[in-house]
Amino acid sequence: MKNFIAFSFFLLMMSCGKKEVKKEAVVQENATVPPYDTIAVDSFSTGAVSVDIARKIKMSSLAYQDSLKEVRKKMEAEKLIQKEKEEQGKATKKVEEDVKKAEALKLKKEKEKSNPEISTPDNATKP
C-alpha cells in the first residue's frame, strides 16, 4: 500500500509539473477596402436611403420648389399690406392734424369777431 501511495503521489507530481506550451495566433491585418458601401442607413430594409440623400431628393422635387415659391409670394403680399396700412395711418394722422389746425384757426377768428377790441401788446400802455 505504501508503494501504491508513493506511486500515485509521484504521478500526481509529474502531471502537475507539466507546462503546456501556448500557441499564439498571428493575425494578419487586411488593409483592403471592402467592395461595398459602409455608410450607415436609416433602416435595414431593402432600398433604404440615408437621411441626407432623402432630404436632397425632397428639396429638389417640384412640389417642394412650388411650396417655397408660394411662401415667398405670401411674404411679399404681407409686406405690401403692411406698407399700405402704414401709409393709411400716416395719411389719417396728417388729416387729423390739419383738421385740428383748422379748428384752432376758426376758434381764434370767432374769438376775435366776438371781441371787437383792438388787440394791443401786453406791455403797451393804454391812453
Side-chain angles (χ1 to χ4, degrees):
M1 182 77 156
K2 272 186 171 183
N3 287 338
F4 181 70
I5 294 175
F7 182 69
S8 60
F9 181 73
F10 180 71
L11 282 176
L12 181 66
M13 292 305 262
M14 292 300 274
S15 65
C16 289
K18 292 183 182 178
K19 292 185 179 179
E20 295 182 19
V21 178
K22 294 183 181 180
K23 295 182 181 178
E24 293 183 21
V26 178
V27 179
Q28 294 180 353
E29 292 186 24
N30 191 0
T32 60
V33 178
Y36 50 87
D37 188 15
T38 57
I39 297 175
V41 291
D42 293 348
S43 114
F44 296 100
S45 64
T46 57
V49 180
S50 70
V51 176
D52 294 331
I53 294 172
R55 194 172 118 250
K56 286 179 184 177
I57 291 170
K58 180 182 174 188
M59 289 177 69
S60 66
S61 70
L62 187 59
Y64 185 78
Q65 297 298 327
D66 289 343
S67 66
L68 287 178
K69 288 178 185 177
E70 289 176 12
V71 169
R72 286 184 193 135
K73 286 180 183 178
K74 286 180 183 178
M75 289 176 66
E76 289 174 3
E78 288 176 1
K79 286 180 183 178
L80 288 175
I81 291 170
Q82 191 162 0
K83 281 185 180 180
E84 289 176 4
K85 286 182 181 178
E86 288 176 1
E87 289 175 2
Q88 288 176 353
K90 288 179 182 178
T92 55
K93 284 182 183 179
K94 188 175 181 180
V95 168
E96 288 174 0
E97 288 176 5
D98 290 342
V99 168
K100 285 181 182 178
K101 286 180 183 178
E103 287 178 2
L105 285 174
K106 188 177 182 181
L107 288 174
K108 191 174 184 182
K109 285 182 182 180
E110 286 178 4
K111 207 177 204 184
E112 286 177 3
K113 284 183 181 178
S114 66
N115 196 2
E117 296 179 12
I118 301 173
S119 61
T120 57
D122 290 339
N123 58 2
T125 60
K126 290 187 179 180

